[in-house]
């Protein structure tokens, strides 16, 4: 079994590696890392916003976000948050693809699932419709279940598996 620090190193080492495999342990250690990072990042963001209470009141009451006059510290924190989020998208996607590869799914099915999931999640941001929300939820649940499956479970399954 892989250690938490080894999983963290592999996460960054395999930044653009979409072709390998990732074990369940490697995947779930990074889920824990991400969860802890999110808690700490949110706490720090809350501290910055709390320090600038007037900024929080403006954000809550705003109807036109283009005319907000937020303090520079809050604007900087929001910019850094967007940058960090974009920095983590590729390795997280890579890890998810490698984990799905590890279950034995053929690459076609892995990419079909991941692209469908991403497209529905992005579309849900722009279109508020119940069928799209349901589709996103179902796809996310399917991917979650597939990530739980043991290594090489589908390896020799006809059509969906990859014969090695």
């Amino acid at each position: 079994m892989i250690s938490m620090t080894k999983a963290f190193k592999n996460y960054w080492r395999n930044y653009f590696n979409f072709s390998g495999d990732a074990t369940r342990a490697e995947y779930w250690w990074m889920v824990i890392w991400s969860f802890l990072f999110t808690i700490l990042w949110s706490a720090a963001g809350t501290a910055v916003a709390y320090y600038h209470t007037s900024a929080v009141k403006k954000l809550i009451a705003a109807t036109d976000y283009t005319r907000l006059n937020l303090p520079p510290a809050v604007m900087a924190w929001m910019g850094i948050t967007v940058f960090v989020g974009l920095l983590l998208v590729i390795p997280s996607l890579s890890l998810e693809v490698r984990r799905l590869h590890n279950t034995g799914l053929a690459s076609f099915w892995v990419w079909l699932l991941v692209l469908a999931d991403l497209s529905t999640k992005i579309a849900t941001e722009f279109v508020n419709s119940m069928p799209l929300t349901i589709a996103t939820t179902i796809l996310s649940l399917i991917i979650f279940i597939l990530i739980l499956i043991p290594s090489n479970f589908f390896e020799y399954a006809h059509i969906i598996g990859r014969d090695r």
Side-chain angles (χ1 to χ4, degrees), residues 127-135:
V127 179
N128 189 10
S129 75
M130 186 56 73
L132 195 56
T133 304
I134 292 169

Side-chain angles (χ1 to χ4, degrees), residues 6 18 37 40 48 68 76-77 80 85 90 96-97 103 112-113 122 133-135 144 146-147 150 152-153 162:
K6 180 72 172 161
F18 289 90
F37 176 77
L40 293 174
V48 169
L68 279 176
W77 188 263
I80 292 169
I90 293 173
E96 183 176 317
V97 167
T103 64
L112 183 68
L113 280 169
I122 291 169
T133 304
I134 292 169
F144 176 73
L146 289 173
I147 285 171
N152 299 319
F153 186 82
R162 58 179 176 167

